[in-house]
Amino acid sequence: MEILGVLLGVALLLGLGVVVLVVIGLVKAARAVGEKVERQEAKARRAVENVTLKAKSYTQTGPQGQISAVRLGLRTSLDGTRRVLEGAVGQDGQLGEALALLGRLDAHAAELDGELRMLEREPDAGRVAAKLPELRERADRITHSAETMRWAAQDRMHRFAADELGRLSRECEDEAGALRHWDTVSGGSGAGTATAPGASGTASAAAPGASATATASGDSAGAGAGAGAGAAREAGGARRGLTDGRGGRPSAEELLGLADPVAKLAQRLRKPTTGPSAG
């Protein structure tokens, strides 16, 4: 039972927490919707007032028309500067300070617009003529300050865009050079090809010398082999002459008695004569 009571208490707490979160979410959503509606109403009301002031500045003459023109110029300058700063503050955080200054300037402009509105309803033409130059001078100062910040923000955005475009152009050129890497490779290959004939010529020039050297070596080797073979043949002939006839037939020199004539002559001189036919 105690465990069941604890579980029920936990479930009630969770349910209560969910209900509180839902209520908080609904309140925040309603507040956001209300603020959005108020902003839209303020914009619509301001647009209507701007149209009315423009019509008055064109249709009315005298101080009334001048007051309407001053109020319209003041609103137009501040609205234009706010649009530029709010549109660029997401990309450049430093413009947030300028936007804060514009808020303070807008507060002075709201006070001045209130004074101009009261002066517009002023029945005394003398007071209107006396106060209008001072109020116009204040409006010009506010307008000049707002326009200075707007122009500076525009120049800053243009400068950043130009710098970014310059960096992007350099990166594109580098990438194009990387994509044309075969130009460098073909240039290196051409240089190698230009030096290749000289190398082959050198090899060709060296080849005959090598062939001549090889031929001379071969001739020397052949001569040596031939000499060795002749010596072997002479040795073989001598050996065959000293053996008992297994080496082959006697040569013509041996048959004619020209082989080693001194030895043959000595043998003939030692042999006794047997008759007159011996001579």
Side-chain angles (χ1 to χ4, degrees):
M1 294 298 293
E2 294 179 357
I3 296 175
L4 184 59
V6 171
L7 292 177
L8 290 175
V10 171
L12 290 175
L13 289 176
L14 290 176
L16 182 60
V18 171
V19 171
V20 171
L21 292 176
V22 170
V23 171
I24 292 174
L26 291 175
V27 170
K28 288 184 177 180
R31 185 178 300 173
V33 171
E35 291 178 354
K36 187 175 181 179
V37 171
E38 290 179 359
R39 287 196 299 269
Q40 294 297 330
E41 289 180 355
K43 289 181 179 180
R45 184 171 57 252
R46 192 174 184 87
V48 171
E49 290 178 356
N50 291 339
V51 172
T52 303
L53 290 174
K54 185 178 294 186
K56 287 182 179 180
S57 63
Y58 289 153
T59 57
Q60 293 181 354
T61 60
Q64 301 299 325
Q66 294 178 7
I67 293 175
S68 299
V70 171
R71 292 181 62 192
L72 181 62
L74 190 63
R75 289 168 177 249
T76 303
S77 179
L78 290 173
D79 290 342
T81 304
R82 183 175 297 278
R83 283 194 300 268
V84 170
L85 295 180
E86 289 180 350
V89 71
Q91 301 176 356
D92 189 359
Q94 193 171 355
L95 295 179
E97 298 179 1
L99 195 59
L101 290 176
L102 182 64
R104 295 168 57 186
L105 195 64
D106 197 3
H108 287 281
E111 295 178 0
L112 179 60
D113 187 73
E115 295 180 11
L116 288 170
R117 187 182 300 111
M118 289 188 298
L119 187 63
E120 189 178 12
R121 293 192 294 265
E122 176 64 36
D124 188 357
R127 182 171 177 82
V128 171
K131 295 288 294 184
L132 183 58
E134 178 186 355
L135 298 179
R136 181 182 294 171
E137 192 269 337
R138 288 172 56 189
D140 290 340
R141 291 172 58 186
I142 294 174
T143 301
H144 178 71
S145 299
E147 289 176 349
T148 300
M149 286 193 297
R150 182 174 70 249
W151 295 336
Q154 291 174 351
D155 293 341
R156 183 180 179 87
M157 289 188 294
H158 293 166
R159 179 61 181 270
F160 285 170
D163 293 343
E164 181 64 23
L165 181 59
R167 287 192 296 268
L168 182 59
S169 299
R170 289 191 295 270
E171 291 177 1
C172 291
E173 291 177 359
D174 294 340
E175 183 64 21
L179 292 176
R180 294 194 188 96
H181 66 281
W182 65 81
D183 290 343
T184 306
V185 175
S186 62
S189 301
T193 306
T195 57
S200 61
T202 305
S204 300
S211 301
T213 305
T215 304
S217 301
D219 294 340
S220 300
R233 285 196 300 270
E234 291 177 1
R239 285 195 298 271
R240 287 194 299 272
L242 293 176
T243 60
D244 53 353
R246 292 180 298 176
R249 296 180 181 181
S251 63
E253 295 177 352
E254 292 176 350
L255 291 176
L256 294 176
L258 297 177
D260 199 359
V262 178
K264 293 294 185 181
L265 181 59
Q267 185 177 1
R268 287 182 180 182
L269 291 176
R270 285 194 301 270
K271 185 177 180 179
T273 58
T274 57
S277 59

